[in-house]
Amino acid sequence: MRDYNEKMLRIPSKRDDLQLAAEQSVDGPGFLITSVEQLTGLAQARSLWPVTMGLACCAIEMMGAGTPRFDMSRFGWEIFRASPRHADVMIVSGRVSHKMAPIVRNVYDSMPEPKWVISMGACASSGGLFNNYAIVQGCDHIVPVDIYLPGCPPRPEMLINAMLELTRQIERRPILAHREEIARAVEAAALKATPTSEMKGLLA
């Protein structure tokens, strides 16, 4: 696990990753339990079943990711479940209207734990170009989001990349008691980080 974290920190976009820094600052529970966590994370990450949640035009790209040209079945994601009780990943693809928001939340609540959410597209992540009274300005107002996928609409390759990033997160997700200590370390690091309102550009 430590070798994996060191490799990830060499990636420029991961150098300021609060999660990785917190994991390195917290002592692990020992070789045996760490090995069980790695095995459990590997099993969960390789058997993810998405629930069908196509809301707008991004859903066409999500369907395209399942076609033979992109073949997301290589990663074990090909089974889109019609029942949320058999799924553990929700891909919110498209804009979420206020009328649809309770249904999205109801589907999320029906999914068993553990479960994850990918917000696909600018409309699902921030309302996109629909800055009006009818559209929820980001599905994170309704459900907790693990991966934000930009684009309008994002290509199927981008969705597969987001899925692989979610797989990496699940593989290193702590499942035992020290996860609370890691969560506290991540929260403390986030509170110490520079607020976005003080991050001034070159023209400021």
Side-chain angles (χ1 to χ4, degrees):
M1 182 63 74
R2 190 170 298 276
D3 293 339
Y4 173 81
N5 290 344
E6 291 175 358
K7 288 179 183 177
M8 291 299 289
L9 287 174
R10 292 195 198 107
I11 302 174
S13 61
K14 297 292 181 182
R15 285 175 185 162
D16 297 326
D17 195 329
L18 299 177
Q19 180 79 18
L20 285 175
E23 287 177 1
Q24 290 184 337
S25 65
V26 175
D27 294 330
F31 174 75
L32 180 61
I33 296 179
T34 302
S35 300
V36 171
E37 279 193 338
Q38 289 178 351
L39 184 62
T40 305
L42 187 66
Q44 287 181 343
R46 295 296 184 271
S47 61
L48 296 173
W49 290 358
V51 65
T52 52
M53 185 51 64
L55 301 175
C57 40
C58 284
I60 303 299
E61 302 296 324
M62 181 179 68
M63 296 174 203
T67 60
R69 180 180 178 184
F70 302 100
D71 191 21
M72 78 183 179
S73 61
R74 292 172 291 165
F75 311 105
W77 286 64
E78 75 275 17
I79 306 178
F80 277 85
R81 309 304 296 180
S83 171
R85 291 171 180 83
H86 300 154
D88 43 20
V89 177
M90 175 186 283
I91 304 175
V92 182
S93 53
R95 60 190 180 270
V96 183
S97 65
H98 283 283
K99 192 173 184 178
M100 192 68 184
I103 300 169
V104 173
R105 182 66 201 194
N106 188 27
V107 170
Y108 177 81
D109 290 337
S110 301
M111 295 166 61
E113 293 284 351
K115 52 191 172 183
W116 300 272
V117 176
I118 295 177
S119 177
M120 182 179 180
C123 295
S125 300
S126 63
L129 54 93
F130 300 100
N131 186 13
N132 56 39
Y133 66 92
I135 302 300
V136 177
Q137 302 301 299
C139 67
D140 51 4
H141 292 282
I142 307 165
V143 293
V145 176
D146 297 283
I147 297 287
Y148 291 92
L149 175 57
C152 183
R155 292 278 300 152
E157 296 94 339
M158 297 173 66
L159 176 59
I160 291 175
N161 181 69
M163 289 159 37
L164 293 176
E165 182 61 33
L166 179 62
T167 299
R168 295 187 196 102
Q169 289 187 13
I170 297 170
E171 283 180 352
R172 58 188 175 90
R173 185 178 68 95
I175 61 173
L176 299 172
H178 66 291
R179 67 181 174 180
E180 297 177 3
E181 190 176 352
I182 291 176
R184 284 194 291 268
V186 171
E187 185 178 7
L191 290 173
K192 291 179 182 177
T194 305
T196 55
S197 60
E198 296 179 7
M199 294 181 182
K200 302 187 184 300
L202 297 175
L203 299 178

